[in-house]
Amino acid sequence: MSTPGRGPAGSDGGDTAAGTGIRLHAPAPGWSLDADVVVVGSGVAGLTAALRCAAAGRRTVVVTKARLDDGSTRWAQGGIAAALGDGDTPEQHLDDTLVAGAGLCDEEAVRLLVTEGPDAVRRLMATGAVFDTSAETGEIELTREGGHHRRRIAHAGGDATGAEISRALVEAVQAAGIETVENALVLDLLHDAQGRTAGVTLHVMGEGQHDGVGAVHAPAVILATGGMGQVFSATTNPSVSTGDGVALALRAGAEVSDLEFVQFHPTVLFLGPDAEGQQPLVSEAVRGEGAYLVDADGVRFMVGQHELAELAPRDIVAKGIMRRMQERGAQHMYLDARHFGAEMWEQRFPTILAACRSHGIDPVTEPIPVAPAAHYASGGVRTDLHGRTTVRGLYACGEVACTGVHGANRLASNSLLEGLVFAERIADDIAAQRFGGNGPVVPVAATGPLQPASARHEIQRIMTEGAGVLRSAASLATAAEALEALYATALNDLEAHGKTAEPGVDTWEATNLLCVARVLVAAARRREETRGCHWREDHPDRDDADWRRHLVVRLSATEKRALVVVPTDSADFPSVHPLSTPSLEQ
């Protein structure tokens, strides 16, 4: 169903080239900026791409939903994985990544990641990021996390790696004088008459140089918008992670892949069965330093389930915790690191220690209650090895993208590295393009219904109950029916009565969440097996014969905005359509 150099069956470039014609209801842009490149997002991927594009002489504008340092990157505790230590090699890093990806990684993409990764980390250090070093040797201190057979995780501030990387990149962007638009929710992609990318529309929240709906005109757009964890009730993701980039790309005609593979982090601080929103993460690095998972009786239940026990890949640990919870009728398990002692907790994990103590738990003297929560989207907007999507001029990197690196389950701490490496590759691709002036934008009327703000909590409830860690045909069917009812009600109100929810941040976010939720459930229903972080109770085994393949999804411009879900014919990651790689010259 897929052909080298082409998209999967059913993708002939028709919808992709012209877009779906679906746009969010929003006021007309009241202001505009011109640029060569607009980067949407300010995590490690977005800021790395912006710095490199600007260094290549491209007029670059960074658009970010909150402040420059408010994305998911700053919350990353564990670190960044790369073969930097003595005896470690990219080949060993590749092997661990392929095992974690459960047969669906694109090996070429992984090889690029692990071979280009060490130098990319060194360039990040040259930009100003400071990693923890050994007092004795002065070398970077490396730790282990789940799925890694070697110590290859570089960290900063003990457990504040993301915050340090974000600090360094934000300072570099500011020093370079790159134009930024903060507190801005991206709305939709702009196209020219040939179907090429022509920029984005966005809404700036609050006062500043720009306010309200505007546009940034540019022949290249880089999506680096992060994840979609807020589609579930409990997540480690910040409140801004509402799947905006994936939803925008789908409306623009791009394809997404492997969205059913949502990684649930095994050890998230359990704050009660009714806890909602962003939950405190207890980094995998805590287990890497020797913490144990135990039940209420102190039994280490991961021993014997995998050769690495608590350091097995995250999907295996999450499943192990859930199984033990089911067996014991418990709402959580425990992470026991009392043997670390106060000094190690204070020096190695000060952020986690403070978070636990703020909730009345002291890891120095008691085990930490933990349970899995939504953490990372292994799938996303489908790209090639240069970050190009199936829409001409639209790129994606970081968590919003599906490069083929993660397969069915991300290896711990590969996320920051993926954002870094593929952001550099995107910037190099853009630097090699010839740029002319921005062509005229073809206006497209809004045709998609907006969801009311109240739909956000309903979507989260539906997804948590029906498409969480444990899934089945019945739970997914119930979820699909409930999500389609939300969509159908809004569509009927629009088509029959000309009514839709009032445009605004809350309704735009709810609409984006519903879009990604529908795609995730549709793919999860189709994949009738258990693989990686996709766990089907009614199909508990991995099925390589029928399901060692990818699912590619796009929105149809017809059929009442139906989802088109197409499996590839093999595990090979399908190529991006060649029409997506022209010169950006107008």
Side-chain angles (χ1 to χ4, degrees):
M1 294 182 189
S2 63
T3 305
R6 302 217 171 251
S11 175
D12 59 3
D15 283 355
T16 300
T20 64
I22 304 171
R23 294 290 184 273
L24 292 174
H25 284 263
W31 55 270
S32 66
L33 300 172
D34 288 326
D36 295 325
V37 184
V38 55
V39 179
V40 186
S42 59
V44 63
L47 295 187
T48 298
L51 284 166
R52 206 164 173 102
C53 285
R58 302 306 189 195
R59 294 175 300 160
T60 304
V61 173
V62 175
V63 173
T64 188
K65 196 172 179 181
R67 298 189 306 274
L68 277 180
D69 63 348
D70 263 354
S72 293
T73 291
R74 68 179 288 236
W75 297 99
Q77 295 174 344
I80 185 167
L84 298 167
D86 290 341
D88 198 6
T89 64
E91 198 69 26
Q92 293 175 68
H93 190 182
L94 180 142
D95 289 343
D96 285 346
T97 300
L98 295 180
V99 169
L104 282 186
C105 294
D106 179 68
E107 186 167 340
E108 186 178 2
V110 177
R111 193 171 296 279
L112 285 173
L113 178 83
V114 299
T115 55
E116 297 181 8
D119 284 343
V121 172
R122 294 183 184 101
R123 285 189 288 272
L124 179 62
M125 294 169 63
T127 302
V130 179
F131 292 99
D132 295 338
T133 56
S134 167
E136 289 78 24
T137 66
E139 298 295 321
I140 294 177
E141 285 189 330
L142 301 172
T143 189
R144 277 183 69 192
E145 292 185 1
H148 293 273
H149 282 79
R150 284 191 173 272
R151 299 178 75 89
R152 65 167 65 96
I153 317 299
H155 51 83
D159 58 359
T161 310
E164 170 59 18
I165 290 173
S166 181
R167 178 205 63 77
L169 291 174
V170 167
E171 289 183 4
V173 164
Q174 292 171 336
I178 296 173
E179 185 168 3
T180 60
V181 182
E182 296 181 297
N183 301 306
L185 171 63
V186 66
L187 299 176
D188 279 303
L189 193 72
L190 296 171
H191 293 273
D192 66 13
Q194 285 72 46
R196 292 177 295 208
T197 293
V200 293
T201 55
L202 62 157
H203 172 78
V204 178
M205 301 165 271
E207 298 179 358
Q209 183 179 358
H210 306 291
D211 194 15
V213 175
V216 181
H217 298 129
V221 171
I222 303 173
L223 294 178
T225 52
M228 57 182 193
Q230 290 292 325
V231 78
F232 294 96
S233 297
T235 177
T236 63
N237 291 190
S239 61
V240 295
S241 298
T242 52
D244 307 319
V246 171
L248 174 150
L250 282 164
R251 289 192 296 270
E255 295 174 347
V256 303
S257 186
D258 300 347
L259 220 60
E260 68 271 31
F261 296 116
V262 175
Q263 186 177 82
F264 289 79
H265 198 288
T267 54
V268 175
L269 184 62
F270 181 75
L271 300 180
D274 299 322
E276 295 183 344
Q278 186 178 10
Q279 309 293 301
L281 175 67
V282 182
S283 171
E284 193 138 342
V286 178
R287 280 176 282 137
E289 295 292 354
Y292 307 131
L293 281 166
V294 297
D295 61 21
D297 294 329
V299 176
R300 285 184 63 188
F301 55 87
M302 285 304 299
V303 174
Q305 291 198 36
H306 189 276
E307 61 170 335
L308 296 178
E310 285 90 354
L311 284 176
R314 288 179 178 174
D315 63 309
I316 294 171
V317 179
K319 291 170 188 174
I321 291 173
M322 292 298 297
R323 287 194 186 99
R324 196 64 163 189
M325 286 165 55
Q326 289 178 322
E327 292 169 1
R328 301 299 300 269
Q331 295 179 326
H332 62 82
M333 290 288 109
Y334 294 93
L335 187 64
D336 193 349
R338 289 174 291 180
H339 53 286
F340 284 6
E343 183 178 358
M344 180 173 176
W345 267 110
E346 291 165 0
Q347 294 183 0
R348 180 67 178 87
F349 301 111
T351 306
I352 298 170
L353 178 64
C356 288
R357 284 177 170 171
S358 71
H359 291 285
I361 300 157
D362 189 351
V364 177
T365 60
E366 60 186 318
I368 305 167
V370 294
H375 183 57
Y376 190 88
S378 293
V381 184
R382 193 163 75 82
T383 74
D384 67 7
L385 299 179
H386 299 281
R388 296 178 290 220
T389 75
T390 49
V391 172
R392 293 174 289 177
L394 178 65
Y395 296 79
C397 57
E399 190 173 356
V400 71
C402 184
T403 61
V405 159
H406 303 307
N409 181 55
R410 175 179 67 100
L411 181 66
S413 287
N414 267 358
S415 51
L416 293 175
L417 189 70
E418 183 199 32
L420 190 64
V421 167
F422 283 87
E424 291 188 345
R425 295 183 68 81
I426 287 172
D428 291 347
D429 190 71
I430 290 175
Q433 302 285 350
R434 294 171 296 164
F435 275 60
N438 293 328
V441 173
V442 175
V444 178
T447 56
L450 291 179
Q451 291 294 313
S454 60
R456 178 173 182 145
H457 291 295
E458 181 65 9
I459 294 164
Q460 292 171 333
R461 181 194 64 78
I462 292 167
M463 294 298 290
T464 298
E465 293 178 358
V469 181
L470 300 177
R471 302 168 179 174
S472 68
S475 75
L476 290 167
T478 299
E481 183 178 358
L483 294 173
E484 290 307 313
L486 289 175
Y487 185 75
T489 297
L491 185 62
N492 182 66
D493 286 345
L494 177 63
E495 294 185 342
H497 309 293
K499 297 179 180 179
T500 191
E502 185 70 22
V505 173
D506 290 345
T507 58
W508 290 322
E509 286 187 333
T511 303
N512 287 339
L513 283 170
L514 181 60
C515 178
V516 297
R518 291 176 67 220
V519 173
L520 193 161
V521 169
R525 293 183 76 185
R526 190 74 174 268
R527 183 173 291 280
E528 295 181 331
E529 66 160 352
T530 290
R531 181 186 298 271
C533 49
H534 172 66
W535 186 5
R536 287 282 298 263
E537 291 182 283
D538 52 331
H539 295 280
D541 299 318
R542 173 169 155 175
D543 181 359
D544 281 349
D546 290 331
W547 284 110
R548 191 164 177 250
R549 62 193 67 224
H550 302 272
L551 288 172
V552 178
V553 185
R554 60 187 174 91
L555 282 180
S556 173
T558 58
E559 303 176 36
K560 295 287 186 182
R561 321 305 179 208
L563 297 175
V564 180
V565 184
V566 182
T568 61
D569 61 358
S570 73
D572 294 337
F573 201 63
S575 300
V576 167
H577 196 281
L579 287 178
S580 65
T581 57
S583 166
L584 295 174
E585 183 179 24
Q586 303 297 320

